């Protein structure tokens, strides 16, 4: 008879055990029931019997009795369904030398089998039972996977841009952030450039890469803003134009603007606003580019205009100050002004302004860098100014 | 001259022992005794034990003398082919007098071989 008898085990367990014992060249025989095994054992006892405990103790008791009377040097192991101490103790007290639990692990099966057989003075197989050597492949895969994940994050993570970014032009004018895109004008080359924010985990390296360049065919842009349907510009000829986003930026609509020195151009989601430095005035335009409202700026000589958080932000004065115009049901409310210190080089006036990522962004016609400052840091009061001044401009 | 350091004699016997681990990956395990005495026992188990571990052992000596959840400390451990051989010492709270009496009675009857 074979050395190891597998009696009454589920097919999956039998296959697994045969595979395990095959590795140590210990032959197995499979019998479908414990009763059949109990009949065969007295004639030719194996070195080891393995049975399954499925809740009924009768097969365990029966096998134990047969082994005691007919095969006293045959070792006896049981496979139990769960890792419960109560079950194992019950089966071991009934006669099994040891219990192994599912899923059947090679080390547990070989160790228990060898020891059980040795207890009966039998050598089940030659060779030591050792824990399996840990494969390096899972560790290597995990390291490689982690590296690729970090690389992916580096390539795809979009965070706020670096606080200062070079735009490689000393003729910057007009500025607008549109999500991850930055629009900026270059009056000298009559270009409107669209940049895209580069992804990266480290903020310092999140610069810009050129996405598109539009050359204005009929003027030099001073200011620009985006609406859903068009790019709107104010040129050096003091005309406001809306352009199709095509080669050459063909104009769709043109109109003269009030004032003599436009310094700001924004879209508030519904209307276009401009600021005029000489007149210290803000203008609101309808779809036909006709003025529908004028408001006096509390900041003298505004040099920039932005729209953010349902408010108009006006930059201007010397030293630079920032104020916020909020629309209420009863009129407009001014908030501020707030000091803007140490942002631009002294005596350099901003020529473009935008608010995005919680920061105020400025460009200047004589400085190639776009600079920024935190809005939270900036919105501190300037001492000596009235707060919450209500104003409504005359039409 | 070899001096026997143990205060109580040891008796070889292989009986199932249940083990409870207060800490570690396994909460419960099992094994078999190699020998027992009133102050501790040597057990073999496939469940990892380490020196200085506190464990709780349960076993039944013959004739129903049942010892449940005895607090013990692992005094020494060796590993051999998938099995931990652990010498454990019962804690002071264990009723050693009772255990001594039971083991002595069993030894007298010849049920527990003397080493």
């Amino acid at each position: 008879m074979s050395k190891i008898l597998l009696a009454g085990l589920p097919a999956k367990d039998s296959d697994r055990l045969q595979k395990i014992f095959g590795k140590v060249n210990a032959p197995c025989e499979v019998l479908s029931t414990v009763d059949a095994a109990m009949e065969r054992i007295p004639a030719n006892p194996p070195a080891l019997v393995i049975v399954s405990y499925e809740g009924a103790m009768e097969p365990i008791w029966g096998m134990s009795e047969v082994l005691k009377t007919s095969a006293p040097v045959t070792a006896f192991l049981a496979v139990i369904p769960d890792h419960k101490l109560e079950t194992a103790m019950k089966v071991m007290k009934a006669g099994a030398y040891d219990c192994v639990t599912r899923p059947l692990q090679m080390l547990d099966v070989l160790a228990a089998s060898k020891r059980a057989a040795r207890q009966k003075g039998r050598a089940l197989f030659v060779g030591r039972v050792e824990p399996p050597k840990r494969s390096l492949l899972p560790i290597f895969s995990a390291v490689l996977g982690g590296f690729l994940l970090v690389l992916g994050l580096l390539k795809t993570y979009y965070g706020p841009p670096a606080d200062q970014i070079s735009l490689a032009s000393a003729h910057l004018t007009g500025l607008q952030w549109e999500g991850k895109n930055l629009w900026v004008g270059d009056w000298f080359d009559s270009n409107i450039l669209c940049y895209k924010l580069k992804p990266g985990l480290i903020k310092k390296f999140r610069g810009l890469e050129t996405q598109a360049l539009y050359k204005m065919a009929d003027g030099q842009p001073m200011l620009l803003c985006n609406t859903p349907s068009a790019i709107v510009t104010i040129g050096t000829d003091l005309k406001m134009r809306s352009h199709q986003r095509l080669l050459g930026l063909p104009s769709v609509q043109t109109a003269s603007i009030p004032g003599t020195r436009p310094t700001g151009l924004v879209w508030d989601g519904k209307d276009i606003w401009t600021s005029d430095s000489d007149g210290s005035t803000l203008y609101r335009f309808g779809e036909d580019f006709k003025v529908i409202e004028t408001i006096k700026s509390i900041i003298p000589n505004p040099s920039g205009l932005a729209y953010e958080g349902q408010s108009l932000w006006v930059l201007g004065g010397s030293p630079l100050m920032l104020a916020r115009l909020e629309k209420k049901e009863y009129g407009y409310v001014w908030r501020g002004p707030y000091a803007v210190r140490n942002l631009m080089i002294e005596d350099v006036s901003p020529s473009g302004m935008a608010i995005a990522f919680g920061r105020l962004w400025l460009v200047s016609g004589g400085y190639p860098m776009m600079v920024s400052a935190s809005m939270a840091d900036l919105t501190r009061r300037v001492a000596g100014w009235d707060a919450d001044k209500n104003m409504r401009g005359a039409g | 001259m070899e001096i026997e350091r143990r205060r109580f004699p040891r008796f070889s016997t292989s009986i199932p022992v249940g083990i409870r681990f207060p800490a570690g990956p396994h909460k419960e395990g099992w094994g078999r005794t190699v020998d027992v005495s009133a102050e501790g026992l040597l057990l073999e188990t496939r469940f990892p034990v380490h020196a200085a571990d506190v464990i709780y052992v349960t076993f039944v000596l013959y004739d129903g003398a049942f010892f449940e959840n005895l607090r013990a400390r692992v005094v020494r451990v060796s590993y051999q082919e998938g099995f931990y051989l652990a010498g454990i010492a019962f804690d002071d709270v264990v009723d050693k007098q009772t255990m001594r009496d039971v083991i002595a009675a069993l030894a007298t009857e010849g049920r527990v071989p003397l080493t």
Side-chain angles (χ1 to χ4, degrees):
Chain A
M1 194 169 196
S2 304
K3 276 184 130 178
I4 300 167
L5 180 61
L6 310 175
L9 290 161
K12 199 174 168 187
D13 288 350
S14 294
D15 292 342
R16 176 76 179 136
L17 288 168
Q18 285 183 86
K19 207 170 171 181
I20 290 172
F21 287 117
K23 290 197 186 296
V24 293
N25 297 321
C28 297
E29 184 180 345
V30 179
L31 289 177
S32 57
T33 64
V34 175
D35 289 337
M38 288 195 296
E39 281 178 22
R40 289 269 295 270
I41 285 171
N44 198 353
L48 172 69
V49 172
I50 304 180
V51 301
S52 175
Y53 169 74
E54 300 297 341
M57 284 301 294
E58 284 76 16
I60 306 293
W61 291 329
M63 182 58 69
S64 184
E65 200 55 41
V66 164
L67 292 178
K68 212 181 290 184
T69 54
S70 307
V73 294
T74 296
F76 178 24
L77 289 185
V79 175
I80 59 175
D82 46 41
H83 193 106
K84 275 190 183 160
L85 174 58
E86 194 185 331
T87 308
M89 290 296 283
K90 189 165 59 176
V91 171
M92 286 168 74
K93 280 181 199 168
Y97 183 80
D98 200 349
C99 295
V100 287
T101 53
R102 296 186 185 106
L104 296 169
Q105 302 292 334
M106 185 158 84
L107 178 64
D108 289 339
V109 168
L110 291 180
S113 303
K114 190 172 185 181
R115 201 153 190 110
R118 189 185 292 171
Q119 181 79 1
K120 297 289 184 180
R122 308 285 288 267
L124 202 60
F125 53 82
V126 178
R128 289 183 63 81
V129 177
E130 301 284 355
K133 283 189 175 43
R134 190 168 286 189
S135 168
L136 284 176
L137 183 60
I139 297 169
F140 177 74
S141 303
V143 168
L144 184 64
F147 174 72
L148 290 173
L149 180 68
V150 168
L151 203 62
L153 281 173
L154 279 169
K155 286 203 170 293
T156 59
Y157 178 71
Y158 280 101
D163 294 348
Q164 286 192 51
I165 304 175
S166 170
L167 294 178
S169 167
H171 316 114
L172 300 172
T173 179
L175 192 66
Q176 188 190 348
W177 276 103
E178 189 186 36
K180 287 195 276 284
N181 291 332
L182 176 75
W183 295 83
V184 84
D186 184 325
W187 64 266
F188 188 79
D189 292 327
S190 298
N191 288 335
I192 292 175
L193 295 116
C194 177
Y195 294 94
K196 188 176 175 188
L197 181 62
K198 285 197 276 192
L201 277 178
I202 300 170
K203 185 182 175 187
K204 191 179 168 184
F205 298 114
R206 282 184 228 131
L208 299 167
E209 52 191 4
T210 311
Q211 276 290 107
L213 186 149
Y214 301 95
K215 200 150 184 78
M216 262 183 78
D218 52 356
Q220 291 170 308
M222 280 173 56
L223 300 161
L224 61 93
C225 76
N226 258 311
T227 69
S229 56
I231 296 175
V232 178
T233 63
I234 292 177
T236 51
D237 57 0
L238 301 185
K239 282 190 172 12
M240 184 153 64
R241 294 175 176 83
S242 69
H243 306 265
Q244 288 180 301
R245 287 192 183 88
L246 297 171
L247 191 67
L249 289 177
S251 302
V252 175
Q253 195 178 354
T254 305
S256 295
I257 56 165
T260 52
R261 196 167 157 216
T263 51
L265 175 64
V266 296
W267 162 260
D268 70 358
K270 187 166 168 285
D271 300 317
I272 287 174
W273 291 77
T274 66
S275 59
D276 181 71
S277 179
D278 288 345
S280 296
T281 306
L282 308 181
Y283 297 96
R284 183 159 70 96
F285 296 82
E287 281 182 12
D288 55 359
F289 283 3
K290 284 192 175 8
V291 176
I292 54 178
E293 192 167 15
T294 57
I295 296 170
K296 209 70 178 166
S297 168
I298 64 165
I299 303 281
N301 309 116
S303 53
L305 195 63
Y307 183 80
E308 194 265 350
Q310 298 183 344
S311 300
L312 271 177
W313 292 82
V314 181
L315 181 78
S318 182
L320 271 182
M321 286 176 289
L322 192 65
R324 181 159 65 121
L325 182 69
E326 280 184 37
K327 174 115 172 78
K328 301 287 189 186
E329 286 173 8
Y330 48 84
Y332 292 95
V333 172
W334 283 99
R335 306 277 186 203
Y338 311 100
V340 178
R341 293 194 182 95
N342 302 323
L343 193 58
M344 304 239 48
I345 296 169
E346 200 172 334
D347 295 335
V348 171
S349 299
S351 59
M353 171 186 160
I355 296 176
F357 305 105
R359 299 185 75 82
L360 171 71
W361 300 86
L362 296 178
V363 291
S364 167
Y367 192 58
M369 294 287 287
M370 179 172 64
V371 296
S372 72
S374 160
M375 288 295 288
D377 291 342
L378 287 174
T379 48
R380 283 187 298 270
R381 283 297 161 72
V382 173
W385 281 72
D386 283 339
D388 301 336
K389 215 172 175 177
N390 285 324
M391 291 193 72
R392 180 149 172 84
Chain B
M1 188 175 73
E2 218 176 86
I3 300 171
E4 175 59 57
R5 293 178 187 272
R6 296 181 180 80
R7 287 185 293 151
F8 306 106
R10 288 178 299 155
F11 304 92
S12 287
T13 183
S14 177
I15 52 177
V17 59
I19 310 165
R20 286 198 164 86
F21 303 92
H26 299 287
K27 293 294 171 215
E28 293 179 331
W30 52 87
R32 281 193 166 265
T33 61
V34 177
D35 56 51
V36 299
S37 76
E39 63 178 359
L41 53 87
L42 181 66
L43 63 87
E44 58 180 23
T45 176
R46 285 182 289 104
F47 297 89
V49 288
H50 308 283
D53 280 355
V54 169
I55 59 175
Y56 296 84
V57 294
T58 299
F59 55 91
V60 180
L61 290 177
Y62 300 104
D63 271 356
F66 182 53
F67 297 90
E68 187 177 20
N69 285 331
L70 298 187
R71 191 170 186 273
R73 190 171 291 277
V74 178
V75 174
R76 63 182 184 281
V77 178
S78 64
Y79 180 80
Q80 195 178 39
E81 291 196 80
F83 272 83
Y84 294 85
L85 269 167
I88 66 170
F90 298 129
D91 224 329
D92 288 338
V93 299
V94 170
D95 186 355
K96 290 193 175 135
Q97 184 60 50
T98 303
M99 186 169 294
R100 194 168 46 227
D101 292 343
V102 170
I103 292 171
L106 290 170
T108 306
E109 288 178 24
R111 301 281 289 274
V112 178
L114 185 69
T115 52

